[in-house]
Amino acid sequence: MVLDKSYSISEIDNRIYGSFIEHLGRAVYGGIYEPDHPEADDQGFRKDVIDLVKELNVPIVRYPGGNMVSAYNWEDGVGPKSQRPKRLELAWRTIETNQIGTNEFMDWAKKVNTDVMMAVNLGTRGIDAARNLIEYTNHPGGTYWSDLRKEHGYEDPHNIKTWCLGNEMDGPWQVGQKTAYEYGRIAKETGKAMKLVDPSIELVACGSSNTGMPTFPEYEATTLDIAYEEIDFISLHQYYGNRSDDTANYLAKTMDMDHFIKTVTSTCDYIKAKHRSKKTINLSFDEWNVWYHSNDADKQIDAWQIAPPQLEDVYNFEDALLVGSMLITFLNHADRVKMACMAQLVNVIAPIMTENNGRSWKQTIYYPYMYTSLYGRGTALKPILSSPKYDSKDFTDVNYIDCAAVYQKEAEEVVLFLVNKNLQESISVTTDVRSFEGYQVLEHVVLENEDLKATNKPGSEKVTPHKGGSSKINDGVLETRLTKASWNMIRLRNVNA
Ligand code: AHR
């Protein structure tokens, strides 16, 4: 491999380390909020969960859905809690108590030092509800909705900057599913009205729900064509699973993700050319993760419960490898992927788990997410890598090694993130780092485990990183050994600085 400080991809937008909290399962109730828990603060938020979220340094959290937003009345979640209605929540077929709504969530976001990416309902509602919501959250005062916010105890506007225009509107599972034309029109008109209320906001339009949708990428092209002037980002969603228990094929799925990003980027640029526009639309990969472990269990859950344990995937070690590689993929597309949200954050397909009235703990996927979020900030460099390759069921010429590199100019640090997908053998990597004179290895963190299916449980974390990786620099060459099936972070720093 060759790594050179002049081979830069782009500055990294820190919002690629975003996450997502939906009113779904135990994400909100029993997750971030549990007023009877011994760790609850004065607003009922769990302090142990706040601490775990803060450790991840999450820059932005998408809220309140997800599928849930497509039949959500935001007005149900503001004002005195005792007067808030209980509703049938149609996306996940539960009871929504509305004890947490916009204002409380903004308070929680402050507590965990994050911004909010707020979604509006373009399923059952549209322009009117969206323009009222942004008047409520962002207008300083002196109007009906902004004064109502003050009456509710929030004198200052929340000034939410980033907004999603609906969620997965092409999906037949969505309440109020729309064709590309119908969606493009409502996204354009809603976006226009929202920007009239607050021109400083940025808007994310829905793309296809995933690459498997029959209308992908035509849905993106039509939406962009209609709403190009109003929107700033197009959204991508993708989840992977290892249903056939074929780990080599499973770990190769980042090739699909890479292809997805390239296709959507090309679609954006095609419409840009068609419109003779100077404006570039960037990508918001605002749902991504592994999701499949809980599918069968979810079928057994009865409808119309409050906060049932839905989508509670228990992640194993190989999932952490894939998550590490997905984050590497974002870094290697840092020029166009400017936001991304791991879906989700607590209990629901999440890095953080809680017991009702009990402990909280870190899933295996917590670790690659945490380290990449903490150290993957700065300029993404393009590693020129020649890796041995393999073929799997669905993919050919899969690199055994995935790598991304980040240069932190001020700190004079270079951080490499690497995954060795070879399940049998370690691989030695030789990297020319001569452009980084005076740099030495600061630490080499490794996540590895003999058992690909090892999981973490409360009080017993089997999958945790260690700092005993093998890396050294001699005469401008970094010699690294990547153990079989491992995720690695290597930090280099200028010792002469
Ligand atoms: O994250 C779980 C669900 O996955 C979201 O609600 C939806 O947008 C997607 O299909």
Side-chain angles (χ1 to χ4, degrees):
M1 181 154 71
V2 179
L3 202 60
D4 192 291
K5 60 171 78 151
S6 57
Y7 300 171
S8 128
I9 299 172
S10 166
E11 279 303 296
I12 296 159
D13 189 323
N14 294 339
R15 293 177 298 176
I16 63 168
Y17 303 117
S19 192
F20 178 27
I21 289 279
E22 179 169 2
H23 282 248
L24 192 186
R26 298 191 308 121
V28 174
Y29 308 107
I32 64 169
Y33 176 76
E34 197 177 358
D36 297 332
H37 194 277
E39 289 272 355
D41 69 8
D42 54 348
Q43 283 188 290
F45 292 121
R46 278 182 66 158
K47 287 185 281 188
D48 56 336
V49 175
I50 287 174
D51 289 343
L52 290 174
V53 175
K54 278 166 86 173
E55 263 186 68
L56 291 168
N57 196 8
V58 183
I60 194 160
V61 178
R62 189 163 172 254
Y63 175 86
N67 296 338
M68 170 270 189
V69 82
S70 292
Y72 179 54
N73 297 335
W74 68 267
E75 302 88 337
D76 291 346
V78 295
K81 285 192 172 189
S82 59
Q83 289 168 30
R84 296 187 192 176
K86 284 197 177 113
R87 300 268 189 204
L88 293 183
E89 196 294 292
L90 300 185
W92 305 102
R93 307 192 76 231
T94 59
I95 303 280
E96 172 57 54
T97 63
N98 285 304
Q99 291 304 291
I100 293 291
T102 305
N103 292 319
E104 292 84 16
F105 192 74
M106 295 309 296
D107 287 338
W108 179 81
K110 270 200 200 109
K111 292 178 190 198
V112 299
N113 304 326
T114 197
D115 287 332
V116 172
M117 181 194 286
M118 184 69 77
V120 299
N121 174 355
L122 293 190
T124 59
R125 307 185 83 188
I127 305 170
D128 210 35
R131 63 130 179 180
N132 294 344
L133 174 58
I134 194 169
E135 184 182 318
Y136 183 91
T137 58
N138 286 21
H139 195 69
T143 64
Y144 178 79
W145 292 106
S146 56
D147 286 346
L148 188 64
R149 181 197 67 239
K150 288 174 190 251
E151 221 174 89
H152 292 161
Y154 293 82
E155 184 59 31
D156 295 327
H158 296 304
N159 288 328
I160 300 168
K161 188 178 171 212
T162 311
W163 294 80
C164 297
L165 294 164
N167 176 70
E168 297 189 349
M169 298 308 303
D170 62 334
W173 56 87
Q174 210 66 231
V175 179
Q177 181 195 7
K178 296 197 165 39
T179 65
Y181 179 76
E182 289 168 340
Y183 174 66
R185 287 290 308 135
I186 198 168
K188 179 183 178 71
E189 295 304 326
T190 305
K192 192 173 37 177
M194 290 173 76
K195 282 190 170 173
L196 284 170
V197 177
D198 183 350
S200 73
I201 59 168
E202 49 190 14
L203 294 171
V204 185
C206 298
S208 304
S209 298
N210 55 67
T211 47
M213 300 303 286
T215 50
F216 172 74
E218 189 51 43
Y219 205 89
E220 281 80 350
T222 306
T223 298
L224 285 161
D225 204 7
I226 297 170
Y228 201 84
E229 288 318 310
E230 284 72 21
I231 66 182
D232 306 287
F233 295 88
I234 190 92
S235 153
L236 294 80
H237 291 179
Q238 193 71 45
Y239 297 96
Y240 294 118
N242 188 10
R243 291 187 178 80
S244 51
D245 196 13
D246 177 350
T247 303
N249 195 52
Y250 177 53
L251 296 182
K253 291 192 182 196
T254 43
M255 283 183 85
D256 176 74
M257 191 179 201
D258 188 67
H259 188 243
F260 186 16
I261 291 170
K262 286 178 180 151
T263 307
V264 177
T265 302
S266 309
T267 308
C268 291
D269 293 348
Y270 158 63
I271 302 296
K272 176 179 181 173
K274 190 176 166 194
H275 285 231
R276 315 290 192 257
S277 176
K278 283 189 178 162
K279 174 177 167 182
T280 299
I281 302 284
N282 283 318
L283 277 51
S284 171
F285 213 122
D286 45 43
E287 284 190 35
W288 68 272
N289 203 347
V290 170
W291 174 14
Y292 76 106
H293 297 286
S294 60
N295 294 165
D296 290 338
D298 282 342
K299 291 184 191 129
Q300 312 304 319
I301 295 175
D302 291 331
W304 314 131
Q305 299 181 57
I306 296 173
Q310 292 166 314
L311 280 64
E312 298 206 358
D313 274 44
V314 176
Y315 292 114
N316 58 34
F317 169 59
E318 67 182 15
D319 300 329
L321 293 179
L322 185 66
V323 161
S325 277
M326 291 169 97
L327 287 157
I328 286 172
T329 307
F330 293 143
L331 286 171
N332 286 326
H333 287 285
D335 53 336
R336 295 305 287 271
V337 178
K338 298 292 180 185
M339 296 195 281
C341 301
M342 176 185 259
Q344 297 190 9
L345 187 55
V346 183
N347 287 333
V348 171
I349 42 175
I352 298 168
M353 297 299 289
T354 68
E355 296 170 319
N356 286 340
N357 207 23
R359 295 166 291 181
S360 50
W361 76 98
K362 298 171 180 172
Q363 296 237 48
T364 62
I365 61 169
Y366 186 96
Y367 294 105
Y369 179 33
M370 178 188 81
Y371 278 110
T372 319
S373 169
L374 295 186
Y375 297 103
R377 298 178 187 225
T379 306
L381 298 180
K382 186 166 180 51
I384 310 300
L385 170 70
S386 157
S387 166
K389 296 180 193 305
Y390 69 99
D391 291 342
S392 72
K393 187 173 138 287
D394 300 320
F395 304 93
T396 44
D397 285 341
V398 184
N399 276 351
Y400 273 119
I401 305 290
D402 277 349
C403 177
V406 175
Y407 178 37
Q408 296 161 5
K409 204 173 171 193
E410 313 273 271
E412 300 210 43
E413 254 192 64
V414 174
V415 187
L416 287 98
F417 300 95
L418 299 125
V419 171
N420 178 5
K421 298 181 175 180
N422 191 318
L423 305 177
Q424 278 83 39
E425 287 174 23
S426 61
I427 296 181
S428 293
V429 183
T430 305
T431 307
D432 178 339
V433 288
R434 279 175 299 174
S435 78
F436 297 100
E437 219 187 310
Y439 280 60
Q440 288 299 331
V441 176
L442 200 62
E443 61 177 352
H444 178 166
V445 179
V446 187
L447 193 65
E448 59 186 340
N449 203 290
E450 274 305 314
D451 180 5
L452 290 168
K453 309 295 180 190
T455 58
N456 290 345
K457 294 189 178 59
S460 143
E461 287 199 5
K462 289 198 181 126
V463 183
T464 54
H466 67 80
K467 294 194 173 178
S470 160
S471 284
K472 61 176 189 318
I473 294 183
N474 280 325
D475 294 333
V477 176
L478 168 68
E479 300 281 357
T480 302
R481 194 171 150 269
L482 303 175
T483 49
K484 67 176 183 183
S486 63
W487 173 92
N488 302 260
M489 181 189 76
I490 304 166
R491 288 173 66 207
L492 315 177
R493 183 181 287 166
N494 187 353
V495 288
N496 299 330

